[in-house]
Amino acid sequence: MDSINKVLPEAYRQFGIDEDIIKLSDEILSACSERFALIDKISEINQLKVLDAFRKNNVSEACLLGTSGYGYGDIGRDTLEKVYATVFKTEDALVRPQITCGTHALSLALSSNLLPGDELLSPVGKPYDTLEEVIGIRDSVGSLKEYGVTYRQVELLEGDRFDYEGIKNAVNEKTKLVTIQRSKGYQTRKSFSVKEIADLIKFVKEVKPSVKVMVDNCYGEFTDVCEPSEFGADMTVGSLIKNPGGGLAPIGGYIAGSKECIERASYRLTSPGLGREVGASLDVLKNLYQGLFLAPTVTASALKGAVFAAGIYEKLGFDCVPSFNGERNDIIQAVSFHDPQKLIAFCEAIQAASPVDSNVRPEPWDMPGYDSKVIMAAGTFVSGASIELSADGPLREPYAAYFQGGITWPHVKIGILNTVQALKNKGLI
Ligand SMILES: *Cc1c(COP(=O)(O)O)cnc(C)c1O
């Protein structure tokens, strides 16, 4: 034991991490133990939930094999959708490699359940950047706006509280669907708890019982012991290259929800008349199953990394959302640098501590779907997967790095320490 305690700092020194940074790390780590114990318990409860869903739906070896062509009678695909429905406690689910990413899953859920003349309402302020073009907040070819779907949003009140009065006033005879984003995305608001989302869903359904609610669950899955789908959301939507893919899913998105909403989404995804009966799963099923199985522990690793990062960067004097002691409802850690140089150095150091493309230097670029330059660091096995150690940030005030992921906790820790070292080397801290 004694010798191990000497080997670890020595291994860090060889990696290029200075002794004072290791000391800081040890100090923060000892303050993390209570938080980490809670994260481990949540992960264990979710592991039970996921395993139970595999057993209940009789996941068999045959389910891991894929199909090609039309994909009629794809037992692995159909069973995976049942497993997701069980995990999310919904009537049904659509989980497919043909859903290319989170934005696509959200766009699919919206466009299939909104018709010309309907109105979409966001009661939680501006949605995620890429949704702006889906909705038509920024004019875009193929947006909901082009199809005659209008949009309204109600801003959050101070302290990120819901403006219940404003929401009530915004609901009208055209309001068909309400979209609630769980995670903060590229904003410095807090992320909402499942409990807060449950209260909001209850409220909007009281105001207008026929309204449907969609929750953008990206980055939120398995950070709590329950999901928004258990509290009246008609559709809960996310990306498989984030939490529920467990780092193994190479592509995909999911929508878990009511039979009616899922059916509409399936006809929109493929074709009226065909719906969910087509869509070959090719060779991805084993990774989608195994990824979901690993997702509770992978999410826990990412959460630990986020807590640790907040501890370190608060100690260094930077504003962190959530704070070290703050409630966590997703895996994202925002650190505001108020300085482009620091943001860039942070992202470069995450890239340099990645298992793939560690020698690549990330540069700010005009990413499709985003309205300012974005720098992204992701030296990942699955290209761009943000459940793996990654960081990104738009080049605009407050020059915040949005840091997330890490499929193993030691890797996140190493990544964070590498960012501190890089800032120190450049004289930025
Ligand atoms: C990542 C994310 C999306 C979009 O997912 P992509 O897979 O990047 O298209 C949407 N909403 C939120 C809150 C997200 O975090």
Side-chain angles (χ1 to χ4, degrees), residues 15-142:
F15 193 83
I17 308 293
D18 295 348
E19 206 161 342
D20 57 328
I21 294 174
I22 297 165
K23 275 220 177 78
L24 170 67
S25 162
D26 288 344
E27 182 193 326
I28 300 301
L29 209 52
S30 60
C32 285
S33 54
E34 221 171 285
R35 309 295 314 276
F36 281 17
L38 175 66
I39 291 168
D40 283 333
K41 276 196 187 125
I42 293 172
S43 147
E44 199 168 336
I45 291 164
N46 284 321
Q47 189 70 74
L48 281 162
K49 190 200 294 188
V50 169
L51 177 60
D52 198 40
F54 274 59
R55 298 202 309 172
K56 273 196 178 123
N57 293 288
N58 291 321
V59 174
S60 66
E61 203 174 348
C63 292
L64 310 182
L65 305 171
T67 57
S68 62
Y70 291 100
Y72 291 128
D74 187 326
I75 180 192
R77 175 196 67 205
D78 296 348
T79 303
L80 182 67
E81 292 183 332
K82 289 192 183 115
V83 170
Y84 263 76
T86 306
V87 167
F88 285 89
K89 300 190 167 66
T90 52
E91 287 176 0
D92 208 345
L94 195 63
V95 187
R96 305 266 166 144
Q98 286 82 12
I99 302 176
T100 56
C101 61
T103 304
H104 185 192
L106 290 158
S107 173
L108 176 63
L110 291 173
S111 60
S112 56
N113 284 281
L114 287 162
L115 293 171
D118 290 339
E119 189 160 278
L120 170 67
L121 172 68
S122 170
V124 295
K126 185 182 104 55
Y128 192 74
D129 289 48
T130 58
L131 267 284
E132 291 185 20
E133 280 174 289
V134 170
I135 295 167
I137 299 170
R138 276 183 285 141
D139 278 325
S140 178
V141 174

Side-chain angles (χ1 to χ4, degrees), residues 380-393:
T380 53
F381 294 99
V382 172
S383 180
S386 45
I387 187 61
E388 297 182 54
L389 183 69
S390 52
D392 33 67

Side-chain angles (χ1 to χ4, degrees), residues 12 15 17 21 25 305 308-309 312-313 345-355 377 388-391 403-406 408-423:
Y12 269 117
F15 193 83
I17 308 293
I21 294 174
S25 162
F308 180 71
I312 294 269
Y313 275 95
F346 180 94
C347 291
E348 282 176 354
I350 290 291
Q351 185 78 35
S354 297
E388 297 182 54
L389 183 69
S390 52
F403 160 83
Q404 68 271 312
T408 74
W409 149 243
H411 182 215
V412 203
K413 181 182 168 191
I414 294 164
I416 290 297
L417 296 183
N418 204 48
T419 64
V420 179
Q421 186 71 50
L423 287 163

